[in-house]
Amino acid sequence: MQIELTEKPKNPIIIEGFPGFGLVGTITTEFLIKHLGAKQIGKIWSEDILPVAAVHESKIVEPLGIFYDKKHNLVIIHALSAVRGLEWKLSNSIIELSDMLKAKEIIILEAIGSEEQQSMKTFYYTSVESKKKSFEVCGMLPLKEGMVMGVTGALLLKKRDIISAFFIESHVGLGDSKAAAKIIEILDKYLGLKVDFKPLLKAAEEFEGALKKIIEKGQKAAVQKKRKELTYMG
Amino acid sequence: MQIELTEKPKNPIIIEGFPGFGLVGTITTEFLIKHLGAKQIGKIWSEDILPVAAVHESKIVEPLGIFYDKKHNLVIIHALSAVRGLEWKLSNSIIELSDMLKAKEIIILEAIGSEEQQSMKTFYYTSVESKKKSFEVCGMLPLKEGMVMGVTGALLLKKRDIISAFFIESHVGLGDSKAAAKIIEILDKYLGLKVDFKPLLKAAEEFEGALKKIIEKGQKAAVQKKRKELTYMG
Amino acid sequence: MQIELTEKPKNPIIIEGFPGFGLVGTITTEFLIKHLGAKQIGKIWSEDILPVAAVHESKIVEPLGIFYDKKHNLVIIHALSAVRGLEWKLSNSIIELSDMLKAKEIIILEAIGSEEQQSMKTFYYTSVESKKKSFEVCGMLPLKEGMVMGVTGALLLKKRDIISAFFIESHVGLGDSKAAAKIIEILDKYLGLKVDFKPLLKAAEEFEGALKKIIEKGQKAAVQKKRKELTYMG
Amino acid sequence: MQIELTEKPKNPIIIEGFPGFGLVGTITTEFLIKHLGAKQIGKIWSEDILPVAAVHESKIVEPLGIFYDKKHNLVIIHALSAVRGLEWKLSNSIIELSDMLKAKEIIILEAIGSEEQQSMKTFYYTSVESKKKSFEVCGMLPLKEGMVMGVTGALLLKKRDIISAFFIESHVGLGDSKAAAKIIEILDKYLGLKVDFKPLLKAAEEFEGALKKIIEKGQKAAVQKKRKELTYMG
Amino acid sequence: MQIELTEKPKNPIIIEGFPGFGLVGTITTEFLIKHLGAKQIGKIWSEDILPVAAVHESKIVEPLGIFYDKKHNLVIIHALSAVRGLEWKLSNSIIELSDMLKAKEIIILEAIGSEEQQSMKTFYYTSVESKKKSFEVCGMLPLKEGMVMGVTGALLLKKRDIISAFFIESHVGLGDSKAAAKIIEILDKYLGLKVDFKPLLKAAEEFEGALKKIIEKGQKAAVQKKRKELTYMG
């Protein structure tokens, strides 16, 4: 894993969202980047990542892009790629980035499955006593019992002191864009981003639609490609 | 595998419980840690372990934590993570820890399956003749025939002279907290821990409930996450 | 991966077509090589490639051959081998070749699946603003949303500035030679190759037929061979 | 693979039996060790072996133990562990042991499947002309056609000059202890061990029973453990 | 892969037959070795090969034996082992052997599947113009289109100048010994071996019978062994 940066902001807050459950992490960071007008300042890179180039609005989207919003001093890690098997390596890269920039905080956005159909509760994890109050003011409950997997799990095991994890309940039947909107609402309260909420839900839905379209195309192509290759090489 | 220690007790007895059959090893060491007020003094660490962070009572639980009870000079290894494929490495780490601390004895707590529904016999293995008597006084039978797998199997093959293994029969249909309570009763007799037995069974049941809840959440999330990822990357 | 070259043209345009979806990339480069009378000047080579020698018109066809058309200063990479798992390595080799020859442009020919049965639209991707116009004049639309996999995906992620990717819609039910003919028509417009279009479609169909025959033979042999081997070694 | 020896007998005959078909090799060497009162003088050791400790008569049985019968100058390799994937390595260790002790002969005991239900023929393989006669006197037929797999196959390919392989037909439906008794009868004739045959069949049956019990327990535990682990880690 | 030779003939023709389709390569080289009275002068050896020792006429047959017929200066590579995954390595060893002996030609005997039930055509591949005529005189057709896999495919890609490949059509329903007899007939014409054809077909059939018997035994043993091992280790 390599980190490539064209700019090195000082003491930023890092926000990170991996596709994970319901693509909520990706939808949320995508929205933030657009809404805040954050610009790409680098990427995390490895040939262990799947060689898949996503095209979105006629531009190539990096599997693991690093963006910067100068106004709020936010570094946003936007992950489009599944990273199964690379969790430890990737968590090491994020910690390295955090050390390099002397980040004040790493905020992880993550969805968790919920059995209650109507519920969309949010939970937080922090090991810093003084932050608990402000997270609860934002409407989150402490996560009391749970298993956290993936890059988030790896980060919590390795660097828990600097990490604030926000978990939002999500449902397969329910639109994930709603979970993304909800988590941005909380992030807005916590960071004072002053997000204009009117167009947010609509935008989130549109992006979710676009993402789903990309994925469907990718899947169809993958399936047909696989069949052809099998035909071809026996 | 690395061992990280903030404190190095001298000549302790090491007690070790891996999840294994019915999670009995984990439930038992968890109970011991709480009951004795043992504090964490380190961990065994490797990126070969699955990147899963368990949250219990709003705190991150290490996959392989090392705890210390000063009063009885007990070092307790608390394992939350499955370690399939790492058995030899982990047994080496436990032997290294044992050598480092000049441990007097390693007590392994392990459940074994039983076909008799009502039975909850306990068995011991030791290669030290003089210990056999005292184990039988505590109510255990010698293990005559059996196959011991996992970290326990690896430890028995590598370091049998210092190891005392306690096996408790367990059943899928029966509450594992009962097996945990029984094995603590025997440990209490052997080590003279003076455990207050009244709240024990209740506590064990509660912890078992909490653990099951964590696991169910983990499973549900894992299943749904997997489906989503498949959807996402084709 | 090694590049072997007997000749090093200067500042060529590199055209590359991997079998991918519907074998369109391979059919198209094969046709170009024949039509332009390009001669083989080397190959990309690795023992990671499957050990399959294709015989075509009584000659061995390299899995990854490099051809040269002096008149138009075109280097054509002709790929017959599936390269799953080698995408990054192969993209590195193509970039290395491109650097070695100081190539002006890398044109990628790639088919993508389409759900519309009658459609055979063509799309382009380029990061160079000035090229967009000329691609649209040739009848292509910009690719707005999509997931590009394989060597093409890897190349787009690594070297997007020099790459022009042409995508043609293809269908399982429809003859792939038609897609190949269509993409050559566009390539002809863009590069001014002055291809004689009358015999093209016929030739493409013939080659597709030959290729399918090779593949069927290969498959039949593979299937029977596998059965025999299983019989043999138990 | 490492060989650990506490004693180095000179010019012994090495007898080796791997579990293989019907556990015959293991049952036979087990019986020999008991009957001859052979004592353990070492082990072959590797962390590539499965971490399974068998307990038999309240003692740990090494996966690959080396035993010595001084009276007949016999070294017996007793294998309890499946060694799939380690055949070459293990054959190298046995050859190393043989070289170290300047062994006169390596006798391999191996069962082979037979389609004839009532048949229990024995076969031999040797490359030494002078031994053929004495093997036939003992009641064995030459093995004319066959495929020998596993450690035995590896040994025959690497060190055929010193090896005498005894093969006994075995059946799934028939008691394997009978095959073991038969092969010991032949070994007795060949080596002049003067085995008391009366208790042999009974003992073989008993050991077979014990072994099956161990295995059943192991299996049950393994199956339940697996289910539990799956439950636990998702 | 290592080559072990006790003798180094100069400028021989190398004949090579891998089991491949219908075991034709193995049957043919086996017949040649017997008919010509060729003696073993070495082997190709690697622990990547499966540890399977074939016993044929009471002798161990090497997985990859090298034989020599002095009269015709022929080196025959006799392969009994499946070599899936080792194709490149093995082709390198054959090229190394060829270089070591300064071989004049490598003749590959290979069967290919055919859809026509009654057909038993033979095809050749050579890159040497002058040989084509003599191959056609022997009754072979040029191979125009096809996919050649395995060691033969690897050799054709690496060393095509020195290689003459003979392909014979074979059918699952038809006796492979007939295909072997046919290819020997052609080899006889090409090399002037003066093979006595009367006993050939009979001998080929007998060997095919023996080979099938070995294989059936191997399979049965393998299947039962696997079941037992599963029973044993859980």
Side-chain angles (χ1 to χ4, degrees), chain B residues 148-168:
Chain B
V148 185
M149 280 164 287
V151 180
T152 305
L155 278 169
L156 286 178
L157 286 171
K158 296 200 102 175
K159 190 80 176 181
R160 73 191 63 150
D161 55 326
I162 202 183
I163 286 173
S164 304
F166 296 179
F167 302 97
I168 175 125

Side-chain angles (χ1 to χ4, degrees), chain B residues 19-23 26 50 52 79-82 84 87-89 92 110 113-115 125 142-150 153-154 156-158 160 172 176 211 215 219 222 226, chain D residues 40 43 45-63 80 210-211 213-215 217-222 224-234:
Chain B
F21 190 84
L23 301 177
T26 302
L50 286 174
V52 178
L80 202 57
S81 176
R84 195 160 282 238
E87 293 91 345
W88 290 118
K89 285 187 192 172
N92 288 343
E110 179 95 13
S114 163
E115 55 254 64
Y125 172 83
L143 183 69
K144 284 193 180 148
E145 308 285 333
M147 301 282 271
V148 185
M149 280 164 287
L156 286 178
L157 286 171
K158 296 200 102 175
R160 73 191 63 150
V172 173
D176 300 312
L211 205 55
I215 290 158
Q219 268 184 306
K226 200 169 280 175
Chain D
Q40 190 165 352
K43 60 183 175 182
W45 178 258
S46 162
E47 295 198 353
D48 292 328
I49 296 171
L50 286 174
V52 178
V55 178
H56 179 47
E57 296 182 353
S58 294
K59 287 202 177 103
I60 303 279
V61 186
E62 295 287 342
L80 201 58
L211 205 55
K213 219 166 164 182
I214 289 178
I215 290 157
K217 275 194 189 169
Q219 269 184 306
K220 188 164 289 176
Q224 292 177 323
K225 199 175 178 175
K226 200 170 280 177
R227 186 164 48 211
K228 282 282 166 176
E229 281 188 347
L230 282 169
T231 305
Y232 184 56
M233 296 308 301

Side-chain angles (χ1 to χ4, degrees), chain C residues 125-142:
Chain C
Y125 171 83
T126 176
S127 67
V128 182
E129 226 29 66
S130 61
K131 283 188 182 164
K132 291 182 180 176
K133 184 81 191 190
S134 62
F135 289 161
E136 280 163 29
V137 164
C138 293
M140 290 187 279
L141 304 166

Side-chain angles (χ1 to χ4, degrees), chain C residues 12-23:
Chain C
I13 289 172
I14 295 176
I15 295 173
E16 168 254 276
F18 278 81
F21 191 85
L23 302 176

Side-chain angles (χ1 to χ4, degrees), chain A residues 2 4 43 45-48 51-53 60 62-63, chain C residues 87-96 99 106 108 125 150-163:
Chain A
Q2 282 170 267
E4 291 176 21
K43 60 182 174 181
W45 178 258
S46 162
E47 295 198 354
D48 292 328
V52 178
I60 302 277
E62 294 288 341
Chain C
E87 293 91 345
W88 290 118
K89 285 187 191 173
L90 206 40
S91 68
N92 287 342
S93 289
I94 293 172
I95 289 168
E96 194 189 328
D99 290 347
I106 300 175
I108 295 172
Y125 171 83
V151 179
T152 305
L155 278 168
L156 286 178
L157 286 172
K158 295 199 105 175
K159 190 80 176 179
R160 75 190 61 151
D161 55 325
I162 202 181
I163 285 172

Side-chain angles (χ1 to χ4, degrees), chain C residues 6-41:
Chain C
T6 56
E7 204 174 314
K8 294 194 182 173
K10 274 181 192 158
N11 307 114
I13 289 172
I14 295 176
I15 295 173
E16 168 254 276
F18 278 81
F21 191 85
L23 302 176
V24 171
T26 302
I27 295 173
T28 309
T29 49
E30 175 77 19
F31 178 83
L32 275 179
I33 288 164
K34 283 223 183 130
H35 180 80
L36 302 171
K39 63 172 183 180
Q40 191 165 352
I41 59 165

Side-chain angles (χ1 to χ4, degrees), chain D residues 68-163:
Chain D
Y68 184 51
D69 165 35
K70 198 171 183 179
K71 189 176 162 201
H72 303 89
N73 201 21
L74 295 178
V75 166
I76 302 168
I77 301 174
H78 181 257
L80 201 58
S81 176
V83 292
R84 195 159 281 238
L86 304 175
E87 293 92 345
W88 289 119
K89 285 187 191 173
L90 206 41
S91 69
N92 288 343
S93 289
I94 292 171
I95 290 168
E96 194 189 329
L97 178 70
S98 160
D99 290 347
M100 207 189 282
L101 306 183
K102 295 191 190 356
K104 284 190 297 193
E105 187 175 4
I106 301 174
I107 298 176
I108 295 172
L109 309 178
E110 178 95 12
I112 52 171
S114 163
E115 56 254 63
E116 295 167 49
Q117 282 296 323
Q118 296 311 318
S119 163
M120 201 159 61
K121 291 192 206 117
T122 48
F123 301 93
Y124 70 86
Y125 171 83
T126 176
S127 67
V128 182
E129 226 30 65
S130 61
K131 282 188 182 164
K132 290 184 180 174
K133 184 82 192 190
S134 62
F135 289 162
E136 280 164 29
V137 164
C138 293
M140 289 187 280
L141 303 166
L143 183 70
K144 284 193 179 147
E145 308 285 333
M147 300 283 271
V148 185
M149 282 164 285
V151 179
T152 305
L155 277 169
L156 286 178
L157 286 171
K158 296 199 104 175
K159 191 79 176 180
R160 74 191 62 151
D161 54 325
I162 202 183
I163 285 172

